[in-house]
Amino acid sequence: MTRQLNALRGVVDTWDGLTREVDDLVTLQELGEAEADEATLGEVSSELEALTGRLGELEFQLALSGEYDASDAIVGIHASEGGTESQDWAEMLLRMYLRWAEKRGFKSEVLEVTPGEEAGIKSATIQIAGEYAYGYLKGERGGHRLVRISPFDGAKRRHTSFSLVEVMPVVERDLDVEIDLDDVEMDVYRSSGAGGQHVNKTSSAVRLTHKPSGIVVTCQNERSQTQNREVAMRILRSKLLERRLAEVEEEQRRLRGEPMSAGFGNSIRSYVLHPYTMVKDARTGFETSNTQAVLDGSLDDFMRSYLQSQIGI
């Protein structure tokens, strides 16, 4: 509550300060015109340009005013059908979001990874902590399509792969999502992969099934069953909240008469590496030919374009 109150006070103080600056510039403009003082008018013009830039940034912040936008985020990445090709693409997406977090100075933690049989990953779950992490990442939710010459095809043919990205806010308050523990079924099993010598000797990995929703989450990266269960409950709580938010969003879109988007056939973004290079967002039309920079985590322009489209900027 204190954190939220301080944030609101900061917003009010910022806009109050901006109002005072505008009033001062108006007064200065009137004085400059009355005295035909070119130096004063030039100063007004310069300060007005800077003020306009700051106003643009404040307008953009309207896109990050959702209830959970300031929260940390949990990102889930899932390879679609397509075997090794899609699993390799899912791993590329995992690297992309980890690099994006690094570029912004955010903290990232890999909560769960399920390796592919030959290469790549079947799925991964990561938590990204930073100011407005969920607000920026929420527009990444949906199908991501890759077109390239497959490194796994000896005939060097072009392949199209799909992966699904989920984005959920980290829920800090139990009041946001209530979970009846009787509705949660827990299975334990031996972990596989990194984690230390204990990892294959004890049944520390946890799988939680939320019976009413059918949501299944796993965690095996922590050192103890208790820690894995706590992390899995955090993921489950976030998934349930995101499902609720998605239902509200879908209803709002239905009322506005907008087309529904679901499944891999309605990808939000395409990454083309052959026969040309381009990354294009299907929702906003924003595109770039610098595919390598995007895959290395340069996602801010895509995120900003999507957020601005949501508030009509």
Side-chain angles (χ1 to χ4, degrees), residues 179-242:
I179 299 177
D180 187 340
L181 295 181
D182 291 337
D183 290 337
V184 179
E185 181 179 298
M186 184 175 81
D187 299 308
V188 296
Y189 57 98
R190 291 189 178 183
S191 300
S192 61
Q197 294 181 353
H198 77 291
V199 84
N200 291 315
K201 297 180 180 179
T202 61
S203 297
S204 59
V206 170
R207 179 187 299 109
L208 299 181
T209 302
H210 186 248
K211 290 180 282 188
S213 66
I215 293 175
V216 178
V217 298
T218 63
C219 185
Q220 63 176 15
N221 286 17
E222 303 299 331
R223 295 188 59 86
S224 72
Q225 184 183 117
T226 299
Q227 290 173 315
N228 280 324
R229 183 182 182 279
E230 290 176 355
V231 173
M233 283 296 292
R234 186 198 317 164
I235 298 171
L236 175 59
R237 190 175 292 112
S238 293
K239 279 181 173 283
L240 288 170
L241 176 59
E242 180 61 17

Side-chain angles (χ1 to χ4, degrees), residues 164-179:
L164 179 68
V165 173
E166 298 177 300
V167 183
M168 300 148 279
V170 175
V171 184
E172 297 181 355
R173 297 168 294 168
D174 290 339
L175 292 177
D176 290 335
V177 178
E178 294 183 4
I179 299 177

Side-chain angles (χ1 to χ4, degrees), residues 105-286:
F106 289 174
K107 292 176 60 178
S108 61
E109 178 185 4
V110 178
L111 303 178
E112 179 272 331
V113 174
T114 301
E117 286 88 355
E118 298 180 22
I121 60 172
K122 294 180 178 178
S123 66
T125 306
I126 59 177
Q127 180 168 328
I128 296 178
E131 188 175 10
Y132 291 98
Y134 175 71
Y136 280 105
L137 283 162
K138 64 184 180 183
E140 297 298 297
R141 182 175 60 231
H144 292 247
R145 172 177 174 264
L146 173 69
V147 180
R148 65 173 176 174
I149 297 295
S150 170
F152 306 101
D153 186 338
K156 301 298 182 183
R157 290 171 294 189
R158 189 171 62 186
H159 284 245
T160 300
S161 308
F162 297 91
S163 286
L164 179 68
V165 173
E166 298 177 300
V167 183
M168 300 148 279
V170 175
V171 184
E172 297 181 355
R173 297 168 294 168
D174 290 339
L175 292 177
D176 290 335
V177 178
E178 294 183 4
I179 299 177
D180 187 340
L181 295 181
D182 291 337
D183 290 337
V184 179
E185 181 179 298
M186 184 175 81
D187 299 308
V188 296
Y189 57 98
R190 291 189 178 183
S191 300
S192 61
Q197 294 181 353
H198 77 291
V199 84
N200 291 315
K201 297 180 180 179
T202 61
S203 297
S204 59
V206 170
R207 179 187 299 109
L208 299 181
T209 302
H210 186 248
K211 290 180 282 188
S213 66
I215 293 175
V216 178
V217 298
T218 63
C219 185
Q220 63 176 15
N221 286 17
E222 303 299 331
R223 295 188 59 86
S224 72
Q225 184 183 117
T226 299
Q227 290 173 315
N228 280 324
R229 183 182 182 279
E230 290 176 355
V231 173
M233 283 296 292
R234 186 198 317 164
I235 298 171
L236 175 59
R237 190 175 292 112
S238 293
K239 279 181 173 283
L240 288 170
L241 176 59
E242 180 61 17
R243 175 171 291 192
R244 190 174 75 198
L245 295 175
E247 289 173 352
V248 172
E249 180 181 338
E250 286 294 301
E251 178 63 13
Q252 290 174 340
R253 295 179 64 184
R254 186 188 67 81
L255 293 173
R256 291 196 298 263
E258 297 179 9
M260 302 297 180
S261 61
F264 293 110
N266 294 302
S267 299
I268 65 163
R269 191 176 301 146
S270 294
Y271 307 70
V272 181
L273 306 184
H274 184 85
Y276 52 87
T277 58
M278 182 181 70
V279 182
K280 182 172 183 177
D281 196 288
R283 302 161 300 179
T284 65
F286 184 85

Side-chain angles (χ1 to χ4, degrees), residues 84-126:
T84 302
E85 191 68 42
S86 291
Q87 292 167 14
D88 186 58
W89 173 223
E91 187 171 42
M92 291 169 65
L93 287 173
L94 172 61
R95 175 184 178 274
M96 182 179 77
Y97 288 117
L98 291 174
R99 291 295 299 273
W100 174 80
E102 181 182 357
K103 286 176 181 289
R104 291 197 67 90
F106 289 174
K107 292 176 60 178
S108 61
E109 178 185 4
V110 178
L111 303 178
E112 179 272 331
V113 174
T114 301
E117 286 88 355
E118 298 180 22
I121 60 172
K122 294 180 178 178
S123 66
T125 306
I126 59 177

